[in-house]
Amino acid sequence: MKDLNVQTPEMVRVDGQLKSNFNSLPNTTPPAKGTIPATLSAVKVDLSGEPSNLPEALLVGDVGLFNKGEIATIVAQPGSGKSNVCEAIIAAYAAAKGFNPLDTLNFIYSPEHTSEGKKALWVDTERTANDTLKSVRRLRNRCGTTPAELDTCLDFYRFRKLNPSESLTDLKTLVASGNYDLVILDGIFGFSPDINNLERAGVIMKELEILAETYDVAILCTIHPNKNSDTISGNLGSTLYKFCRAVLYIEKLKNEVRRLTSEIGQHKLSHAGGVINTPFAWNTELGFFTVCDAPDNMPATVLYDWDKVKKVFGNTTEMASNDFKAQYGLAVGIKQSTVSRHIGILIKDGKLASLGNSKATRYKLINDDEDLPF
């Protein structure tokens, strides 16, 4: 027993009284059966509550995109005008605040989702200081505002010099200020050092989701697709698609016309069953992109990619249905349920014929194009 070392808690004097500095062990007693601990982090849904009847926060025409507390994205190749589209969205927000912009590319921000004293936050992770100032000049012209007036509805930050960790920290600090209704992240790649790191992608998107709901903001991201493809880049892109309520594309057409569309690639409109197809072009007189008439070469309102269909068939006119579905889905970058939707429209439009049934089904390509390779 001589080696037994028993330590007693030291007595200290606090406010004139002797007290022990011994810290008791945490209470590990499980809660009584049938009770829920008060430390639960999850939010219990109010079964007597009613959903909001407000319109979506951001719309294109009469097609709703997403609400506060949600995330949406715009997919565009470099140089296709995505930052100009961001300017139009800011202009739509300014219109909701009482300004009269010349053109918003058909974007509408619902006044019901603006708050007194709050603004839009625009974060650019890609462009130089001079390029962002060009955006500012175009935005003043688009909105018809002075710098002081624009400052009442927009905060614009450059994150280009920040590393991904610093970018996320600064974004969280800004949004947590509670000063914003709308947040635009122009270049979400700036928040990830590796777009194929699935774990990092999940962390980023969960952080954005928490910010959106906690601070009641609508978050819009922009991202590039893979080169020569409509598939959103990397695991960051696939995770973004999963979390987003709306995914739109900017497509370059001929004669310098672009279109904002919900009809190609991994498009998504969770709030609406409509179609978005807004053509726009550079307005030399005004110095920014404006809505224009639909060009003759603008694709019709269809969901399939006809060029990819022909490429998948190659030099043949018939394919087993499973082979076509797998190759077409891979070529366009869409899931199989969407492939089936495309096929239904192709058959309806007379582009494909379905031969046989069940597992023996084959698809026949209808040769009504002069440029087919056979």
Side-chain angles (χ1 to χ4, degrees):
M1 298 294 289
K2 66 180 181 179
D3 294 329
L4 182 63
N5 182 15
V6 178
Q7 292 184 336
T8 59
E10 179 183 355
M11 302 301 289
V12 296
R13 188 170 295 280
V14 179
D15 294 333
Q17 297 182 2
L18 287 174
K19 293 187 176 182
S20 169
N21 69 349
F22 177 74
N23 294 322
S24 61
L25 294 173
N27 182 9
T28 57
T29 305
K33 186 176 181 180
T35 64
I36 298 175
T39 56
L40 194 69
S41 298
V43 178
K44 187 176 182 180
V45 176
D46 180 4
L47 300 184
S48 65
E50 293 292 336
S52 170
N53 291 319
L54 294 177
E56 288 79 10
L58 188 66
L59 305 91
V60 179
D62 59 357
V63 179
L65 296 183
F66 70 127
N67 281 310
K68 280 184 169 182
E70 297 177 344
I71 305 168
T73 196
I74 291 176
V75 185
Q77 294 285 0
S80 59
K82 65 182 176 63
S83 294
N84 285 268
V85 170
C86 291
E87 295 163 20
I89 294 171
I90 296 297
Y93 179 80
K97 285 284 193 174
F99 293 97
N100 295 297
L102 297 175
D103 186 280
T104 65
L105 299 185
N106 285 346
F107 283 104
I108 298 172
Y109 192 91
S110 301
E112 297 92 334
H113 290 279
T114 61
S115 307
E116 184 67 31
K118 292 191 178 184
K119 303 180 179 183
L121 170 65
W122 184 1
V123 171
D124 190 298
T125 70
E126 299 176 344
R127 294 183 298 163
T128 65
N130 198 52
D131 280 345
T132 54
L133 289 177
K134 290 178 181 178
S135 265
V136 170
R137 181 175 60 192
R138 288 194 299 265
L139 191 51
R140 290 199 305 261
N141 293 337
R142 183 183 289 273
C143 294
T145 57
T146 64
E149 289 171 331
L150 187 58
D151 184 64
T152 64
C153 58
L154 173 66
D155 284 343
F156 194 3
Y157 284 85
R158 287 181 61 239
F159 279 24
R160 191 179 187 218
K161 288 185 175 181
L162 306 185
N163 64 44
S165 179
E166 291 171 332
S167 293
L168 188 57
T169 298
D170 278 12
L171 176 67
K172 291 164 68 174
T173 300
L174 286 166
V175 177
S177 70
N179 292 337
Y180 305 107
D181 291 316
L182 170 68
V183 176
I184 295 178
L185 305 180
D186 193 3
I188 196 173
F189 287 160
F191 293 86
S192 179
D194 178 4
I195 64 172
N196 288 314
N197 186 320
L198 186 58
E199 182 179 359
R200 174 67 179 176
V203 168
I204 292 170
M205 294 313 303
K206 196 61 185 177
E207 290 281 10
L208 294 185
E209 191 176 53
I210 291 170
L211 286 174
E213 182 163 345
T214 302
Y215 300 103
D216 194 31
V217 295
I219 298 180
L220 178 84
C221 308
T222 70
I223 191 170
H224 299 305
N226 292 323
K227 188 175 181 181
N228 299 320
S229 167
D230 291 328
T231 304
I232 310 173
S233 294
N235 283 323
L236 180 60
S238 60
T239 307
L240 181 65
Y241 176 85
K242 176 182 176 182
F243 278 77
C244 280
R245 300 291 284 167
V247 177
L248 298 182
Y249 280 74
I250 301 173
E251 183 183 27
K252 277 187 175 182
L253 305 176
K254 294 179 181 178
N255 303 321
E256 299 302 316
V257 174
R258 278 90 164 148
R259 69 164 175 160
L260 183 71
T261 180
S262 63
E263 295 192 320
I264 63 174
Q266 295 167 274
H267 61 274
K268 187 177 185 180
L269 289 174
S270 298
H271 282 290
V275 171
I276 293 172
N277 239 339
T278 301
F280 60 98
W282 185 257
N283 188 313
T284 304
E285 181 179 352
L286 295 176
F288 50 81
F289 280 102
T290 59
V291 172
C292 66
D293 293 332
D296 293 337
N297 64 294
M298 189 163 113
T301 304
V302 294
L303 293 171
Y304 52 79
D305 189 326
W306 182 232
D307 288 336
K308 294 276 178 35
V309 171
K310 293 185 290 184
K311 186 174 181 180
V312 168
F313 271 91
N315 291 319
T316 185
T317 60
E318 289 188 20
M319 286 185 70
S321 60
N322 287 340
D323 291 342
F324 175 76
K325 287 178 180 178
Q327 293 181 40
Y328 177 75
L330 186 63
V332 180
I334 55 177
K335 54 190 179 182
Q336 287 300 301
S337 59
T338 307
V339 168
S340 297
R341 188 179 177 194
H342 287 209
I343 290 172
I345 299 173
L346 282 162
I347 293 173
K348 181 180 178 181
D349 285 357
K351 300 288 188 180
L352 283 186
S354 179
L355 309 176
N357 52 57
S358 189
K359 294 182 179 180
T361 299
R362 299 181 65 79
Y363 293 128
K364 180 177 180 180
L365 188 68
I366 307 302
N367 183 359
D368 62 353
D369 282 355
E370 294 180 357
D371 60 348
L372 288 176
F374 44 80

